[in-house]
């Protein structure tokens, strides 16, 4: 069963409030489990590399979800939004004052272990996940034409 974005609530405190304009965006039926597994994988990899954990931030989750929905609804894949926005602009729009921001995106991976492993095996994505100054994150998973769209936003507030 698919849920609309308005009904998506991430488990373990990964709550998200959607904008009505994105109501046509849907999430996988098991989005809560997927988001929790990505968060656990992210922090396990950080710990394995001598780094502290990053904590979920609702505003970063909103920025991630806005981009994941944009990609799903407008059938594209890229770091720039359909309106030309970049990750820093999307994060700033949520009210999060960032001094560091990074974004990982992917599509088509059916499960969380594949996405975490895929990102860790890509130099740029790995650098984002293991950035020593990152302190918070947001994650979004939406249904896309070619499988799930995944967006991970990492940041540090000013």
């Amino acid at each position: 069963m698919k849920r609309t974005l308005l009904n998506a609530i991430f488990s373990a405190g990964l709550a998200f409030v959607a904008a009505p304009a994105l109501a046509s965006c849907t999430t996988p039926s098991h989005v809560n489990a997927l988001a929790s597994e990505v968060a656990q994988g992210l922090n396990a990899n950080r710990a394995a590399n001598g780094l502290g954990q990053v904590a979920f931030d609702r505003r970063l989750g909103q920025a991630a979800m806005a981009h994941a929905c944009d990609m799903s609804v407008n059938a594209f894949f890229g770091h720039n939004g359909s309106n030309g926005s970049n990750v820093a602009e999307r994060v700033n729009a949520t009210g999060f004052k960032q001094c560091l921001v990074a974004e990982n995106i992917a599509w088509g991976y059916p499960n969380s272990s594949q996405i975490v492993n895929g990102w860790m095996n890509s130099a740029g994505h790995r650098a984002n996940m293991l950035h020593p100054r990152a302190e918070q994150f947001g994650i979004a998973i939406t249904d896309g034409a070619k499988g799930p769209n995944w967006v991970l936003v990492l940041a540090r507030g000013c």
Side-chain angles (χ1 to χ4, degrees):
M1 169 166 83
K2 295 184 180 186
R3 293 185 281 177
T4 66
L5 183 59
L6 294 175
N7 294 326
I9 302 293
F10 293 153
S11 64
L14 304 181
F16 174 75
V17 178
L22 301 177
S24 63
C25 178
T26 61
T27 61
S29 62
H30 56 303
V31 68
N32 296 348
L34 293 172
S36 293
E37 291 164 3
V38 169
Q40 290 169 1
L42 168 63
N43 279 318
N45 279 290
R46 289 181 63 82
N49 285 276
L51 298 168
Q53 291 193 352
V54 288
F56 177 79
D57 184 278
R58 175 187 54 80
R59 296 162 299 179
L60 298 178
Q62 289 172 337
M65 188 59 80
H67 192 53
C69 283
D70 186 21
M71 288 192 297
S72 292
V73 170
N74 294 300
F76 75 95
F77 181 78
H79 288 284
N80 289 329
S82 62
N83 64 356
S85 65
N86 62 39
V87 64
E89 292 165 336
R90 291 187 292 272
V91 167
N92 291 341
T94 69
F96 187 97
K97 304 297 182 216
Q98 53 83 19
C99 286
L100 165 78
V101 67
E103 178 182 71
N104 287 0
I105 62 174
W107 62 269
Y109 289 86
N111 66 55
S112 58
S113 64
Q114 286 178 319
I115 193 63
V116 171
N117 289 335
W119 282 336
M120 286 300 292
N121 288 313
S122 164
H125 294 107
R126 178 184 176 89
N128 288 345
M129 292 171 69
L130 300 181
H131 197 293
R133 291 183 19 227
E135 295 179 349
Q136 294 95 7
F137 77 96
I139 181 77
I141 307 122
T142 59
D143 293 318
K146 296 181 180 180
N149 287 316
W150 304 79
V151 178
L152 173 67
V153 175
L154 295 128
R156 179 179 180 188
C158 293

